[in-house]
Amino acid sequence: MAGCPLTLTPSEIVVKFGDPILINCSTSATDVEGMGWEAPFGGTGFEHPPVVTWRVEKLEEWTPSPSCYATLVDGSQCTVSPLITVYKTPDFVSVSDMGHVPMVEGREYDLKCDVISVAPVQNLTVTWYRGNETVLTETFNESTAIPVNTSSTLKISTQRDYNGLTFRCEAELHLGPKGPKFLPNTSSPPYTAVI
């Protein structure tokens, strides 16, 4: 709300599911009678300014929606809410050939990369590698906070020299400037082509 004399530190946060989270809400205004956090968990009572902290030891909620409120001496109330992204790396990532072994030279086949239980899927990038070469990168435009299973398909036209070649896919979460410094990624075991 515009003109609400509250500052959240941090106002945007990226947190791994199950990790601790801590956000301070502070004010320098002199007309704030009291303040607190309203939240499904970790909420606080009505406290005296200038700072009130929302703290959860293990964040196990996909859409946490805490808001910090201030009650002013004139009886009006205002709130501010942080932007929280909760993420989870996949349980596993695997490549399958949908049962086409051995493959026949000169035909088209699909390889499928399954990414199991990842969140948020809209921050996921799947990259396919043939040997060490990147052959396809795919992003997902669903928008959901809870973990989902998803997959990416790579079409290959088989050539004789693909025999024994390895394919793998890697799932990477791009969580923006507030996210972890190293992108959380999970790679599939290599899939070896049999032509």
Side-chain angles (χ1 to χ4, degrees), residues 7-184:
T7 304
L8 297 180
T9 317
S11 59
E12 267 185 64
I13 189 166
V14 173
V15 61
K16 187 173 184 174
F17 188 81
D19 277 4
I21 185 171
L22 183 152
I23 300 176
N24 282 322
C25 178
S26 59
T27 184
S28 53
T30 51
D31 60 346
V32 174
E33 193 175 295
M35 53 201 292
W37 281 96
E38 275 176 10
F41 48 91
T44 64
F46 190 65
E47 298 187 11
H48 291 296
V51 179
V52 59
T53 301
W54 182 65
R55 178 189 284 114
V56 176
E57 290 310 319
K58 267 184 93 158
L59 185 67
E60 292 182 329
E61 172 73 40
W62 294 106
T63 51
S65 49
S67 59
C68 179
Y69 65 89
T71 303
L72 308 182
V73 285
D74 66 7
S76 65
Q77 203 177 49
C78 69
T79 62
V80 290
S81 298
L83 193 64
I84 302 173
T85 301
V86 182
Y87 75 92
K88 176 189 175 300
T89 54
D91 288 347
F92 65 92
V93 177
S94 63
V95 175
S96 66
D97 56 20
M98 332 255 220
H100 294 297
V101 168
M103 297 180 180
V104 178
E105 188 187 339
R107 292 216 189 142
E108 280 221 331
Y109 293 95
D110 288 345
L111 291 182
K112 186 167 171 244
C113 174
D114 284 305
V115 180
I116 304 303
S117 188
V118 64
V121 68
Q122 57 270 27
N123 294 70
L124 176 69
T125 300
V126 170
T127 306
W128 281 92
Y129 296 93
R130 182 177 62 224
N132 292 322
E133 187 189 341
T134 304
V135 284
L136 176 72
T137 302
E138 188 173 350
T139 54
F140 300 84
N141 53 15
E142 300 119 277
S143 153
T144 170
I146 59 170
V148 296
N149 300 339
T150 190
S151 64
S152 168
T153 303
L154 176 70
K155 282 197 178 314
I156 59 169
S157 297
T158 51
Q159 298 158 14
R160 182 168 294 159
D161 60 2
Y162 276 19
N163 192 38
L165 202 58
T166 57
F167 290 84
R168 67 184 174 88
C169 64
E170 189 172 270
E172 200 165 56
L173 283 168
H174 291 257
L175 296 159
K178 308 280 182 202
K181 197 160 147 203
F182 298 102
L183 297 179

